[in-house]
Amino acid sequence: MSDDAARQAFQVDRAAEMLASGGLVAFPTETVYGLGADASSPAAVARIFAAKGRPIDHPLIVHLADARQLGQWARDVPAVAWRLAQAFWPGPLTLILPRGHEVPAAVTGGLDTVAVRVPDHPLALALLARFGGGIAAPSANRYGRVSATTAEHVREELGEQVDLVLDGGPCDVGIESTIVDASDPRRLVILRPGVIGATELRRVVGTALASGDPGPVRCPGRKASHYAPRARVILVSEGDDAVAGIARWRAEGLRVGWLASQPPPGSPESAIWLPLAGNPSQQARVLYRRLRQADQLDVQVLLVVPPPEEGIGHAIADRLRRAAGMGDDAGFGPLDEPGPGGHR
Ligand code: TXA
Ligand code: MG
């Protein structure tokens, strides 16, 4: 075994012991970093909510080493869910299924469904295999804020609140998993778009999936005003006069950022350019890093040109709308979390 492999095995052992004794371990997945705890322990799970400042009725995803563990966490798993698991696990797909009888209510926010997924990251899989049980893990960020895609971002977000951070480098996918509600096999619903898109899902399922929002309690991650940096985020569409827009905010004495594939129009000094370049996968990979950079650069108004709403572009545009406080459920009533600009 090489030194690196030995060091990693040692870290994984420590992390599994930490989980077994009720601790919090942040770990990399292919999507974003997770803040993990023993999913079978209500006390350990309670620590996740405290560390994130997340309301306790917001359900968590249970991460598994293998689809064969599904039976311990879910019941009445429909055939179509097995097909999806077989096609996409390990991978960035979360399935909502009827909750197994042993799953603590703390994990599911009292719902009778449970979210499960097998992540596609060697460190996550090594940890899951070593630990042996399910690991409940939300994204490793403070509630309502941008998900962490590096170990350093996890430490910035959660500091001393987490007992151990496994460092697996930057996440490959960069945005959270696609969530499919498969609890009713007659009506599959995409609750959160991700890099596994409607077309690929349809290919496995055989019919089109609904795209929907069951409401703020069932899937609060779909809430407007999520994934927000401190800057006020404003989406700029094709027809807008961006030069005039930038000038207007500058005239108010504000620091303006420009998140787009191309540099800001007009003078390059008019706004701080945060490039969202490359193909859609590359854009997803850097999206949250760019939102964090906007904060580090003290950007006060971030103008964003979202990518076209196709495939992965749809998932990116979804996160950007939420960062702008414009989710499709914006009318849901009082927001109980810091919104865009809430920290200014
Ligand atoms: O990529 C990911 O999914 C990352 C990595 C760490 O796995 N996790 C993640 O977790 O994004 P979190 O907690 O930030 O988002 C999970 C979403 C939340 O919006 C939650 O409301 C929803 O999943 N969810 C969990 N259980 C649910 C359930 N039973 N019914 C509906 N939605 C559920
Ligand atoms: Mg999250």
Side-chain angles (χ1 to χ4, degrees):
M1 200 188 277
S2 74
D3 278 3
D4 270 1
R7 202 171 305 123
Q8 208 165 74
F10 175 73
Q11 285 292 327
V12 167
D13 279 355
R14 270 188 64 205
E17 279 162 24
M18 197 71 87
L19 288 173
S21 60
L24 291 186
V25 172
F27 61 97
T29 79
E30 78 281 35
T31 58
V32 299
Y33 274 72
L35 176 63
D38 177 357
S40 68
S41 159
V45 169
R47 287 194 58 202
I48 293 179
F49 291 93
K52 277 187 65 107
R54 171 159 161 155
I56 56 163
D57 61 347
H58 285 203
L60 305 175
I61 298 173
V62 178
H63 296 70
L64 305 175
D66 196 293
R68 277 169 300 191
Q69 289 176 313
L70 213 47
Q72 296 163 38
W73 297 92
R75 67 190 145 77
D76 308 326
V77 178
V80 66
W82 286 112
R83 284 214 303 279
L84 286 168
Q86 193 170 29
F88 297 109
W89 285 354
L93 176 71
T94 295
L95 294 173
I96 308 291
L97 294 166
R99 167 186 156 195
H101 298 295
E102 319 264 281
V103 184
V107 170
T108 66
L111 297 174
D112 54 351
T113 53
V114 64
V116 282
R117 91 175 184 100
V118 178
D120 187 16
H121 190 289
L123 261 185
L125 290 171
L127 177 64
L128 283 159
R130 190 82 183 85
F131 177 61
I135 302 179
S139 52
N141 53 281
R142 305 263 323 148
Y143 181 57
R145 307 270 304 150
V146 179
S147 299
T149 53
T150 68
E152 195 190 342
H153 295 165
V154 174
R155 291 190 197 98
E156 276 166 28
E157 284 287 314
L158 298 164
E160 300 297 302
Q161 309 259 52
V162 34
D163 298 311
L164 193 151
V165 182
L166 283 180
D167 190 343
C171 299
D172 198 39
V173 171
I175 59 172
E176 304 80 357
S177 59
T178 305
I179 302 182
V180 171
D181 186 343
S183 59
D184 176 356
R186 290 161 305 178
R187 189 169 187 278
L188 267 53
V189 186
I190 302 175
L191 298 183
R192 181 173 70 184
V195 299
I196 296 177
T199 315
E200 289 150 284
L201 292 166
R202 182 185 178 146
R203 215 170 283 143
V204 173
V205 170
T207 56
L209 286 83
S211 183
D213 197 321
V217 175
R218 293 205 63 197
C219 200
R222 292 212 32 144
K223 208 168 182 161
S225 168
H226 231 86
Y227 316 109
R230 280 195 298 275
R232 174 166 176 187
V233 176
I234 298 172
L235 304 192
V236 182
S237 56
E238 287 277 318
D240 292 355
D241 184 349
V243 178
I246 293 173
R248 182 181 139 223
W249 293 108
R250 278 174 58 101
E252 290 190 25
L254 297 176
R255 254 170 107 76
V256 181
W258 177 256
L259 180 65
S261 61
Q262 300 299 316
S267 140
E269 297 90 57
S270 63
I272 299 168
W273 182 30
L274 297 154
L276 197 58
N279 62 36
S281 308
Q282 291 166 328
Q283 294 180 1
R285 196 172 301 142
V286 298
L287 178 67
Y288 290 151
R289 177 187 299 266
R290 293 289 180 262
L291 293 179
R292 275 173 200 281
Q293 281 169 345
D295 277 353
Q296 281 154 10
L297 296 166
D298 286 324
V299 167
Q300 291 163 301
V301 178
L302 182 62
L303 302 180
V304 182
V305 184
E309 294 261 354
E310 290 150 18
I312 298 175
H314 173 59
I316 296 172
D318 168 81
R319 303 306 191 277
L320 287 170
R321 272 194 296 278
R322 284 165 212 291
M326 298 169 42
D328 54 14
D329 44 2
F332 264 153
L335 292 173
D336 56 358
E337 62 185 85
H343 300 258
R344 263 174 298 163

